[in-house]
Amino acid sequence: MTQLSNPELELARSFLQKTNQNIFLTGKAGTGKTTFLRELRFETEKRMVVVAPTGVAAINAGGVTIHSFFQISFGPQIPSGQQSNDPRFDNQKVEFKRFNREKINIIKSLDLLVIDEISMVRADVLDAIDAVLCRFKDRYKPFGGVQLLMIGDIQQLAPVVKDDEWSILRNYYENIFFFSSHALKQSDFLSVELKTIYRQTDQKFIGLLNKVRQNAIDEEALQILNSRVVPDFKPARNDGFITLTTHNSQADKINRNNLEDIKNQVFRYKANIEGDFPEYSYPTESFLELKVGAQVMFIKNDASYEKQYYNGKIGEVVACDDGWVEVKCPGDRSVIRVENVEWQNAKFSLNNSTNEIEEKVVGRFFQIPLKLAWAITIHKSQGLTFEKAIIDARQSFAHGQVYVALSRCQTLEGMVLSTPIDGRSIKNDNSVVSFTSAVEANPPTEQQLMQAQQRYELQLINDLFDFKPMIRLVKYCLKIWNENEQYLIGNLPEKLLPVADPIQHEMIAVADRFGSQAGILLQNGLIELNEELHGRIVNGIGYFQQKLESTLVSAFEEVSFQTDNKSIKSLLKDGLEKLEQEITVKSKCFTELKSGFNIQKYLYVRALAAIDSPKLKSKRPQALEQTNHPEFFKMLLDWRSQKADELNVTVSRVLSQKVLVNIADELPPSAKELKAIKGMGGKKIQQFGSELLQMIIDFRSNSKMEIPLGAAEDIEQAGMNTKDLSFFLFKSGKDIREISKERKLAVTTIESHLAYFVSIGELDVFKLVDKKVYGKISDVASSNQFLSLSDVKKQLPEEITYTQIKMVMADLGKY
C-alpha cells in the first residue's frame, strides 16, 4: 500500500496514534484526505468506527451513516443544558432511542470515531453524537472521552438545513456548521491542514482556486477565470468533456438528451441487490441504460492488479452485451472491459470470539461501475478529478459550490465555463472564512505533539487508578436506599456503608498523590522509555488490586436487597450493575497489567473489559435472610404472587413487602395479633386474615414451635389437626373446592394441607395431577432448585394451574 507522505500527514498520524487529541483534518481539494483515511484503517491499533453524513459518502468511506449508527432522527436536535453550558437550555431533554446490546458494547469500547465529510455535518448533529457517546462512555467528558477525527474541507459543500429547521436551531447556535457544536467548543481540538495538492500542479491555477476558496477573488483573477468562457460550447462526442451543473434536473436532462441523440440499440443493466442496501445509498442507477457511443464515467476504482480505471475517469462506450461493457478512454491504447462489480453496505459489529469491532457486510450492490457522464451535479462531483469539464455555475445556490466545481479540474486549460463567473456567485460564509483563517494561522507543532502525548499518558495513568466513579456509585446506591428505606429489605447499607471511607482515603487519596508524582516523572520521558515511572505504575497496580479486592469486591458480592417497587428496584439494580462494571474493568486491567504496563495493551484490555457479557453478570441474591424465618417469608411471597394472579392486581396491592416481613418475623398466631401488625387492619384482615393464620399455625406446628392457648380456637374440629382434617375429607371422596366450601377455608389453604401429605409420601401425587402434566412441571421445577411457584408458572402452558404446580413441587421436595 502506498502511503502519502508529507509533514502535515505525518503529524496527523502521530496525533491520532500517540494521543487522544481531537483532530480536524482539512485541506484544499485534492490534498489526499480520502487516501489518508483509507490508510488509517490499516494502520491504527485503536478501536475505530467510521461514519459519514450521507449514504453515498458512507459507502465511499467504508463506514455507515451518522444517523443510522447513532440512531439520530433527521429533524433538529435540540441541545441539552449540559452541552450548551447555557442555563436557558437546562430544561431541554435529550431523547434517546433504544440501543441494542451490541451497539452499546461497540460504543463502550470505542477509542476513535472518524467523521468523514465533516463540512456537511450540522452542529446540532455533532452535539447529538456527543449525547450518545456520553450516555454510554463517560458522561463527564466531551464525546464521552472518545477521540474524534473529523475529515473535510469546510470551504466545500455545507450542511443542508431548511428554513423551518434553522428557525428553531438559531436559538441555540451561532451558525449551522460543525464548529458551532457546544460539545466541540468544550473539547480541545487541533486543526491539521494538508497543504500538498496532488490533483493540480499548475501553481497559477492553484492560486486562482485559493482565492475562490478564501472569498478573496479580485478583478484580475476573475478575468483569468472568465477567459475560459465559451458560450454554447459543444464538444466533439469523443472529447471527454463533462458538464458540472448545480441541479440534478439539469444534469439528468443533458444526459437524457445526449443518449437519445444516439441512434444505437439501448442496453439495460439491472443491479443485483442482496441483503440490506437502502436506496439512498445506491452508488449508481439500479437500472442503467447505455448505448454504444455514450459518454460514461467510472464510479469506482479498479480493484484488480491492472488498475485500468479510477473513480471519475471519463470514456466512451464502444461495445455492449448482456453482462459487460467496453469503454475507450482518451489517451488509452486499449479498451477497458467491465462487468458487474460489488459495493458493500457494512455495519459495525463485535466478533463473538474476539470482541473486536468488525465491519459486518449486511448488503451488497452489484452493477456495471458506470454512469452517463455528459453531465453531473457539483454536489456529486465532490472527491472526483476531471481532465476536461464544462462548468455551469450560474445558478450556484450554496456555500462552496463554485469552489468545488472549479477544483475538480486538473488544469485551467481543461476547464470551460458556459457563463462568466462574477463575485456574487461565489458564496462563502463569513463565519467559515473566519474559522478557516484561524486554522491556517495556527498549525500544530511538534512541541504540541509532545505535550499532547504527555497529557495522554498521564490521563491513561489517572484513568487506570481512578476510583471516583466507584465512590459515586456506592453513594448513589446508599442514597436510593436512604430515600426509600420503608420499601426495602436487605443488607445493602450494612455492606456498602463501611467501604466508602476506605475507598476515599486508602484508594482515591493515594491515587491523587500517585497522579501528581506521575506528572512530574513524565517530564523525564514518556512511559515507554521511563523505567522509574514504569516501575511505579506496576507497584501501584499491585497495591490498588489488593485494596480493591479487600475493600469492595467481597462486600459487593454479598450485597442483597428486595423491594416491591419496580421503580426503586430498577434504580438500585442499575446502580449496582454499573458498580459491578467498574469493579470488573479495574480488576481485569490490574490482572493483565501487573507484570508490565503497556499503553496499547491497556487500551485493548480496558476496551474488552468494558463490553458487557451477560453470562458473567452475577445474580443479585434475594434478601430472604433478612427475616427471622426466611423459609416462611418465601412461602408468603409465593402465596402473595398466587393471590395477585387470582385477583389480577400487583403483588404490592395484596400486601406490601414490609407487612410480609413483619408477619414472617413475628408469626402472630391469633387474629388479634395479626391485626396488630401495621398494614393488616381493616379490609386486609377480612380479606386475607383467615388464610394467613392457617399458614402461620401450620408453619408453627411443622416447626415444632409453641402455639399459644386459644390460637386455634377458630379452627374446625379442635381435636384434630387442621391438615389432618382436610386430608380425611379428601380421602372420603371430596375434592379441594368441596373441602374448601365445607370448612370455610381458602382453596389455597386446603391445597397446602394436601401438599404436605404429598411431600411426606402419604398422598399419591397422581391422584391430583395427570402424569403428562407432572412431567412438564417436573422438567421446569427440577432445572433450578431456587424457583418459586410463580417462576415455574411463567415457564409453563397457561392451562397448568398453581394447584398442579404446588403438588408436583411438594412431591419433588421443593414446596
Side-chain angles (χ1 to χ4, degrees), residues 443-462:
T445 63
E446 291 289 341
Q447 182 181 4
Q448 284 178 297
L449 173 62
M450 176 58 69
Q451 292 170 346
Q453 278 187 264
Q454 289 177 331
R455 286 197 304 271
Y456 180 49
E457 294 197 353
L458 181 58
Q459 179 184 317
L460 290 178
I461 294 169
N462 288 333

Side-chain angles (χ1 to χ4, degrees), residues 85-343:
N85 199 26
D86 189 327
R88 291 178 302 157
F89 313 142
D90 282 344
N91 294 325
Q92 297 291 346
K93 292 182 179 179
V94 180
E95 293 187 6
F96 293 109
K97 294 185 178 179
R98 190 176 184 87
F99 284 71
N100 62 40
R101 178 57 54 187
E102 182 176 48
K103 179 70 68 66
I104 292 171
N105 283 334
I106 290 173
I107 294 173
K108 278 185 173 182
S109 64
L110 192 61
D111 296 317
L112 173 63
L113 175 68
V114 179
I115 307 177
D116 198 20
E117 301 291 5
I118 189 67
S119 71
M120 299 168 66
V121 177
R122 296 188 330 221
D124 62 314
V125 172
L126 198 55
D127 278 339
I129 291 172
D130 165 73
V132 174
L133 292 175
C134 287
R135 179 188 179 195
F136 295 117
K137 286 280 286 185
D138 188 336
R139 59 180 295 199
Y140 299 98
K141 296 177 183 176
F143 302 101
V146 174
Q147 185 180 22
L148 294 190
L149 169 60
M150 301 164 285
I151 302 177
D153 181 3
I154 199 67
Q155 294 283 17
Q156 296 192 41
L157 297 181
V160 176
V161 59
K162 299 174 184 176
D163 290 341
D164 60 335
E165 293 174 332
W166 180 238
S167 69
I168 298 171
L169 293 172
R170 68 189 303 169
N171 296 313
Y172 307 97
Y173 295 99
E174 299 167 8
N175 58 65
I176 201 60
F177 295 96
F178 79 94
F179 51 81
S180 284
S181 153
H182 301 298
L184 192 62
K185 287 179 179 179
Q186 293 172 20
S187 73
D188 178 25
F189 78 98
L190 292 177
S191 300
V192 177
E193 183 186 13
L194 305 181
K195 299 184 181 298
T196 303
I197 297 174
Y198 298 95
R199 182 174 293 150
Q200 296 94 10
T201 56
D202 180 359
Q203 293 303 313
K204 178 181 176 183
F205 185 37
I206 290 173
L208 285 174
L209 293 176
N210 285 342
K211 288 185 176 182
V212 174
R213 184 175 187 269
Q214 296 166 357
N215 201 22
I217 195 79
D218 54 28
E219 195 62 36
E220 179 185 359
L222 276 176
Q223 287 181 2
I224 295 172
L225 284 174
N226 287 330
S227 68
R228 302 304 304 162
V229 175
V230 182
D232 301 319
F233 177 67
K234 300 289 183 185
R237 199 178 74 179
N238 59 354
D239 273 0
F241 274 92
I242 185 170
T243 299
L244 304 184
T245 69
T246 53
H247 292 75
N248 278 315
S249 58
Q250 297 170 308
D252 291 343
K253 183 178 180 181
I254 293 170
N255 286 327
R256 187 169 59 250
N257 290 343
N258 277 278
L259 188 66
E260 289 174 355
D261 288 343
I262 299 174
K263 303 308 177 185
N264 296 327
Q265 176 187 352
V266 175
F267 285 83
R268 295 179 174 85
Y269 300 89
K270 181 181 178 181
N272 180 25
I273 302 164
E274 297 178 357
D276 179 12
F277 209 112
E279 188 172 351
Y280 63 78
S281 297
Y282 288 177
T284 186
E285 290 83 1
S286 56
F287 290 91
L288 179 64
E289 291 188 350
L290 297 177
K291 294 179 182 179
V292 171
Q295 181 165 292
V296 293
M297 177 177 68
F298 288 91
I299 54 170
K300 192 173 176 66
N301 295 329
D302 184 4
S304 70
Y305 176 78
E306 290 81 5
K307 308 296 181 188
Q308 293 180 287
Y309 56 86
Y310 55 84
N311 191 7
K313 187 172 186 176
I314 303 292
E316 180 183 344
V317 174
V318 294
C320 291
D321 203 345
D322 291 340
W324 58 266
V325 179
E326 288 186 345
V327 180
K328 179 69 169 65
C329 298
D332 287 359
R333 293 184 178 180
S334 57
V335 299
I336 301 171
R337 185 179 178 121
V338 287
E339 299 177 352
N340 274 5
V341 298
E342 176 186 351
W343 286 265

